[in-house]
Amino acid sequence: MAEASSPSPLAPAESLSAWAPMRLPVFRMLWSTWLAANICMWMNDVAAAWMMTSMTTTPIWVALVQSAATLPVFLLGLPSGALADILDRRRYFIITQFWVAAVASLLCIAVIADVMTPALLLALTFANGVGLAMRWPVFAAIVPELVPRAQLPAALALNGVSMNASRIIGPLVAGALIASAGTEYVFVLNAVLSILSAFIIMRWKREHVPNPLGRERLVSAMRVGLQFVRQSSRLRAVLLQVSLFFFHSTALLALLPLVARRLQGGDAGTFTMLLAAMGSGAIVAALFLPRLRQQMTRNTLVLGATGLQSVSTVVVALAPNAWLAVPAMVLNGMAWIICANSLSVSAQLALPDWVRARGMSMYQMAIMGASALGAALWGQVATLGTVTISLLVAAGSGLLGMFLAQRWVTDLSIEEDLTPSREFKAPVEQVAPDAGPVVVSIDYQINPAHADDFVALMQESRRSRLRQGALQWALLRDVSRLGHYVEQITDETWTEHLRRFDRVTASDVALRERKLAFHIGDAPPAVTRSIIESQS
């Protein structure tokens, strides 16, 4: 994929500052549209949540608004991520904006026609979440294209600033419109901003370069995306920790309308103020993230932020008035962005570009799936008990879960070199693109005394081959020739076999050298490629 413009060089001190990515025009333009999109999202969520409290005060119905908004990302994240890796990301991004505008228009019509019900509100909130599910993976995949690698943490932190600035602006605008004009005008403004954002994105002159091998098939692309995550220990560690954090931290957001009503003098303004406080805390914390990243490992940042989030949730749960709840929400917002940014950076650095949208869609699926399940669970706990009990249990179990998870997951500070490499040369054979399955056999002759070390190293080769998209992998030991091993890789088709050469990284090249160090034959390991004509 080619970019519209390459990032301009910056001085070292400037390039590592929190605001460095904003000096890049394309990033600045797309960041502005992302800010508008997030403002629309928060306006919609606030209006929907408050409208639900006006129709029913049952906690489970109120909490299900959060579930309806986030569940589509869990259900549709992988297909949308695969499409974002396959299609022209610019056009796909524009389409998502018009989808959100159309849903906002339907919400507006339903309110004006006075046909809104709790079930219909949940359905339309779900449809709006579908737009979020389509939009998020493509934007996440675009960001690393726009900034140098050294600025990626700052760029992701600025995305967090966008999210949390919108957490302030969106609820304030929504609250003002609800109080002065009516809920339907929130949805009208949402539609207008979504349309304007789509036209701004259309100004982006990104050139889409089609893959010479053609587009991946959707089902195959989804399989490869899942396979990459399954074989990446670093990405699995990130997904576990982000799921734990959002499963428990979502309790406060899901139940915040009820917390606001319970506080002394609580009303819609109190709800808006609490959200604004949380967003303010996140923005302030984002400014100090570069310094925090220099002083602490990512695991330390994640665990510390989880502890801060749990403590602030306890304070909000027990607070009798807004004077105590608002400072606690500021701390909660600080904890949110520190943890979310640390895990997002880890996820981005664990993904090569060819699978980035799929990987980040599964990252977002983990967030939204955990948030949806958490909102439903903590809403049910509040229904059976009280809101305070639900928040206290969520805070305590969240900190304990993160502590236990970090005892046995991969250190997030360990990074692989995912720089693309052309070291492996693709074969030039007259083979039909759809011919397959293709079986590749690589013969190794090793010293039998080193067999155990070789077999252990080949497990890394297995993970590498499967991450690249191989269908199957096996290591065969010759029973008649001591020290003779055959690595066997099966690809779906000849085209999918060729795609693996485009996915080789510097880390894969280094792994090949380590494997070759075991080979004691006079000639390099023999490689044969065969097409399976029939099998039982």
Side-chain angles (χ1 to χ4, degrees), residues 108 111 177 181-190:
C108 179
V111 173
L177 282 174
T183 307
E184 63 271 19
Y185 288 94
V186 176
F187 301 127
V188 170
L189 182 58
N190 187 0

Side-chain angles (χ1 to χ4, degrees), residues 241-242 244-245 296-311 335-336 338-340 342-343 395-407 409 412:
Q241 293 185 48
V242 80
L244 284 170
F245 181 78
M296 304 180 192
T297 66
R298 288 190 200 123
N299 271 358
T300 302
L301 283 172
V302 169
L303 186 59
T306 303
L308 181 60
Q309 194 278 333
S310 295
V311 171
W336 183 91
I338 291 171
C339 188
S342 299
L343 292 171
S397 58
L399 181 58
L400 178 61
M402 187 65 75
F403 174 77
L404 294 176
Q406 289 201 351
R407 302 278 293 187
V409 299
L412 300 183

Side-chain angles (χ1 to χ4, degrees), residues 442-448 454 475-487 519 526:
I442 307 174
D443 287 59
Y444 295 91
Q445 186 65 45
I446 69 164
N447 186 334
F454 177 74
L475 181 64
L476 310 179
R477 178 172 58 85
D478 193 333
V479 296
S480 61
R481 286 175 56 192
L482 198 61
H484 179 220
Y485 287 82
V486 179
E487 182 181 17
H519 182 65

Side-chain angles (χ1 to χ4, degrees), residues 198-453:
F199 283 112
I200 291 175
I201 296 170
M202 291 174 69
R203 295 177 54 203
W204 179 27
K205 301 303 181 183
R206 179 182 188 271
E207 180 185 354
H208 175 68
V209 181
N211 192 311
L213 298 173
R215 291 177 180 172
E216 290 183 75
R217 290 172 294 183
L218 180 59
V219 174
S220 178
M222 291 168 59
R223 174 189 65 80
V224 172
L226 282 170
Q227 202 163 279
F228 185 95
V229 172
R230 190 183 305 120
Q231 300 302 327
S232 172
S233 58
R234 288 184 59 224
L235 206 50
R236 291 201 312 271
V238 171
L239 295 182
L240 172 63
Q241 293 185 48
V242 80
S243 297
L244 284 170
F245 181 78
F246 279 91
F247 179 79
H248 295 89
S249 65
T250 197
L252 184 57
L253 276 178
L255 298 172
L256 199 59
L258 298 176
V259 171
R261 284 187 179 276
R262 188 205 60 191
L263 295 175
Q264 184 178 353
D267 55 15
T270 307
F271 177 48
T272 301
M273 182 170 58
L274 293 175
L275 284 174
M278 186 177 184
S280 300
I283 293 173
V284 171
L287 301 179
F288 295 96
L289 269 173
R291 182 176 300 176
L292 290 175
R293 282 193 293 266
Q294 292 175 353
Q295 296 174 348
M296 304 180 192
T297 66
R298 288 190 200 123
N299 271 358
T300 302
L301 283 172
V302 169
L303 186 59
T306 303
L308 181 60
Q309 194 278 333
S310 295
V311 171
S312 58
T313 297
V314 169
V315 174
V316 173
L318 301 177
N321 53 53
W323 293 104
L324 189 57
V326 166
M329 289 300 293
V330 171
L331 294 177
N332 199 278
M334 295 175 70
W336 183 91
I337 197 169
I338 291 171
C339 188
N341 178 260
S342 299
L343 292 171
S344 180
V345 169
S346 295
Q348 289 276 15
L349 295 180
L351 289 163
D353 188 63
W354 65 268
V355 75
R356 191 177 304 279
R358 279 166 281 188
M360 292 309 294
S361 72
M362 281 180 272
Y363 175 83
Q364 190 69 359
M365 284 170 63
I367 291 178
M368 294 304 187
S371 297
L373 292 174
L377 174 64
W378 303 120
Q380 187 63 23
V381 171
T383 300
L384 298 176
T386 65
V387 171
T388 300
I389 290 174
S390 182
L391 293 177
L392 293 177
V393 173
S397 58
L399 181 58
L400 178 61
M402 187 65 75
F403 174 77
L404 294 176
Q406 289 201 351
R407 302 278 293 187
W408 51 273
V409 299
T410 302
D411 188 345
L412 300 183
S413 62
I414 301 174
E415 296 179 10
E416 294 179 83
D417 187 353
L418 300 179
T419 305
S421 172
R422 293 292 179 183
E423 186 72 20
F424 295 1
K425 303 303 180 184
V428 180
E429 306 286 354
Q430 296 300 316
V431 180
D434 290 334
V438 179
V439 178
V440 182
S441 299
I442 307 174
D443 287 59
Y444 295 91
Q445 186 65 45
I446 69 164
N447 186 334
H450 299 152
D452 290 343
D453 292 336

